[in-house]
Amino acid sequence: MRIEMRALSVVLVSALALGACSSGGSSETAADSKSCAPSEGNVTLTYTTWIPGIENVVKVWNDKNPNIQVKVQTGPNGNGGTYANFFNQLKAGNAPDLGHIEYDALPSFRVQDGLANLADCSEVTAAKDQFVDWTWGQVTFGEENSVYGIPQDAGPMALFYRKDLFEKNNIPVPTTWDEYAAAAEKVKAAGGYITNFSQSDINQFAGFAWQAGGRWFANDGSKWTVNLQDENTTKVANYWQGLIDKKLVSAVPPWTTEWDNAYNTGQAWTWTSAVWGANSIMSGAPDTKGKWAVAPMPQWTSGGTVAGNWGGSSTAVFKGSKHPYEAAKFALWLNTSEEALTLLNKEAQLYPATKAGAKLPALSEGVEFYGGQKIYDVFATASGQVAPDFVWGPTMTSTYATASDGFKAAVSGNGTLLDALKTTQAKTVENMKSQSVPVAE
């Protein structure tokens, strides 16, 4: 799904919460611990999300589970207001039972000690093997005995490209980033730009860094380490700075009419994006139907098989829910059953986080807009090539906001992407310390 990052002021608690209380459950059978015990009598759960058409999916559950009813509350996307509401509700003690939270925002809620840890429930932990490895790592933070959400969707990245324009101009589809830079020169000579560099949606750059081996945050159980300037991220920043300096890429603000027009008119020839980008191109560039194709993400090493990720979210159970067993049961059904996954893809084009989800009939067919290509096969392969050890920091909203300011300056010729990352790292550390989040020096 498209993610629009906006500034959001969030006040977190003054200490890093390392051990939220365990709760949850997910099966028809009795739970295996007191904390996972089913509630007595009928249960009504509240679930807040911004997934389009979610009411139709939840209705299927409600029709089959009269004793566990789910009431949907919809709102704007996370950074558009829903996360702020969650934090306020947690503070007031009236948060919903379940919430839709993107992977990069989960650490912020954990820092506030707002998430139920579902790891004590064998049904939840047994579900681990159903999910693509890296998505499970996003909800466990790489720690044992921790499950802070059920993975919902993923954003494996690949290369969308104008097949007709590459063929017409006899330009090979790039398989490495070096080839991509060489192709950019030829595209420029043909009167276009190979892509648009996002100056405000930093998630894309994070996906580039993720693929290259950059690791921005780490937590050893007591302190956070912050490094937005590691060797691999620096390599990525220098690469894109080179394309910007040579004016081989445009820098139109994403998700704007101008951005759509660049793709719709053939000014921009490629977009390295997540699986949900397929729908973005279809809706934003309708005049190009049949002219696009999808290839694997360019590699840093010839013959490499590594992908990045952009986006993805989880269904979390908030700490304080009176019905964690039932909440976890619903969350597992929502994100593992073929029935629910098929509906989620139909209603909102969500790409499942489960291994079996990649084999849904809807994802195995050719897509007319992309010339009949079975584009989801490319993303299924990419999903298995995303490294599982990328960790998000506890204050990503402010981190993104600072980076966006710096990136906007860089594409305007005021400073560089590396300058922006340096400033972002310093302000991120400062922000974390101001909230008494332990940071390693």
Side-chain angles (χ1 to χ4, degrees):
M1 294 178 67
R2 175 184 292 185
I3 301 172
E4 299 179 57
M5 301 309 300
R6 302 171 184 167
L8 170 66
S9 177
V10 175
V11 179
L12 303 178
V13 293
S14 61
L16 178 63
L18 296 175
C21 295
S22 298
S23 58
S26 58
S27 78
E28 302 286 349
T29 60
D32 60 347
S33 73
K34 185 176 180 180
S35 65
C36 290
S39 303
E40 295 183 3
N42 295 338
V43 168
T44 297
L45 302 171
T46 52
Y47 169 41
T48 300
T49 179
W50 58 90
I51 299 174
I54 189 63
E55 296 87 351
N56 297 327
V57 185
V58 173
K59 184 179 184 300
V60 174
W61 167 272
N62 285 338
D63 288 346
K64 293 185 176 182
N65 296 271
N67 296 329
I68 306 174
Q69 294 289 284
V70 178
K71 181 179 180 181
V72 176
Q73 304 167 336
T74 58
N77 67 38
N79 288 288
T82 293
Y83 291 157
N85 290 338
F86 283 162
F87 282 112
N88 290 334
Q89 291 165 342
L90 285 168
K91 184 177 181 180
N94 60 2
D97 296 283
L98 301 116
H100 180 180
I101 303 177
E102 291 156 314
Y103 297 135
D104 57 3
L106 269 179
S108 295
F109 286 91
R110 188 190 171 205
V111 166
Q112 185 165 329
D113 197 15
L115 306 175
N117 185 353
L118 309 176
D120 283 350
C121 300
S122 62
E123 295 87 350
V124 172
T125 54
K128 173 182 178 181
D129 291 339
Q130 295 187 51
F131 295 94
V132 176
D133 291 346
W134 74 264
T135 65
W136 193 254
Q138 293 291 291
V139 300
T140 63
F141 308 116
E143 303 168 7
E144 294 184 5
N145 302 317
S146 296
V147 183
Y148 291 99
I150 305 300
Q152 182 166 85
D153 66 313
M157 299 173 72
L159 179 69
F160 295 92
Y161 69 97
R162 281 288 299 272
K163 183 178 180 181
D164 62 323
L165 295 178
F166 273 82
E167 291 179 349
K168 177 181 178 181
N169 291 276
N170 196 30
I171 302 175
V173 178
T175 62
T176 68
W177 287 114
D178 283 342
E179 291 176 0
Y180 190 83
E185 299 273 6
K186 297 177 180 178
V187 172
K188 183 66 178 296
Y193 291 103
I194 195 165
T195 195
N196 182 73
F197 179 79
S198 178
Q199 58 181 287
S200 57
D201 197 334
I202 309 303
N203 276 52
Q204 183 188 38
F205 185 85
F208 291 148
W210 191 335
Q211 182 211 23
R215 297 296 179 264
W216 293 354
F217 297 90
N219 188 333
D220 65 3
S222 61
K223 292 183 178 181
W224 287 88
T225 299
V226 183
N227 189 0
L228 275 67
Q229 305 170 83
D230 62 33
E231 180 180 357
N232 291 317
T233 301
T234 295
K235 174 177 67 177
V236 173
N238 285 335
Y239 175 86
W240 286 101
Q241 187 67 53
L243 296 183
I244 292 170
D245 291 345
K246 294 179 180 179
K247 301 186 185 306
L248 298 177
V249 295
S250 59
V252 176
W255 323 129
T256 61
T257 299
E258 186 181 5
W259 186 90
D260 284 338
N261 285 341
Y263 284 94
N264 198 37
T265 60
Q267 182 181 13
W269 290 24
T270 77
W271 187 29
T272 307
S273 186
V275 59
W276 47 260
N279 187 62
S280 296
I281 294 176
M282 290 168 64
S283 61
D287 295 342
T288 61
K289 180 179 179 180
K291 299 178 180 179
W292 290 87
V294 180
M297 192 174 182
Q299 300 292 307
W300 287 103
T301 302
S302 180
T305 55
V306 184
N309 180 77
W310 180 2
S313 54
S314 68
T315 306
V317 178
F318 285 113
K319 197 171 183 180
S321 169
K322 295 180 180 179
H323 310 292
Y325 172 86
E326 290 77 13
K329 181 177 180 179
F330 167 73
L332 278 177
W333 172 85
L334 182 67
N335 299 311
T336 62
S337 74
E338 182 175 350
E339 187 173 35
L341 294 178
T342 299
L343 280 172
L344 286 169
N345 179 261
K346 176 183 178 182
E347 297 288 347
Q349 293 79 51
L350 293 192
Y351 189 80
T354 61
K355 297 172 183 175
K359 300 177 182 178
L360 291 176
L363 297 177
S364 62
E365 303 171 353
V367 181
E368 184 179 1
F369 188 90
Y370 293 90
Q373 180 186 359
K374 295 182 178 180
I375 65 171
Y376 294 108
D377 288 350
V378 179
F379 290 104
T381 299
S383 186
Q385 298 173 341
V386 178
D389 59 346
F390 192 92
V391 176
W392 299 107
T395 57
M396 287 309 301
T397 300
S398 60
T399 295
Y400 280 142
T402 302
S404 178
D405 289 342
F407 277 27
K408 290 175 182 177
V411 299
S412 299
N414 298 315
T416 66
L417 298 179
L418 275 180
D419 292 336
L421 291 171
K422 181 178 180 180
T423 299
T424 301
Q425 177 167 326
K427 289 191 175 181
T428 295
V429 171
E430 179 183 349
N431 188 25
M432 290 168 68
K433 287 182 176 180
S434 72
Q435 298 172 51
S436 298
V437 176
V439 182
E441 297 296 336

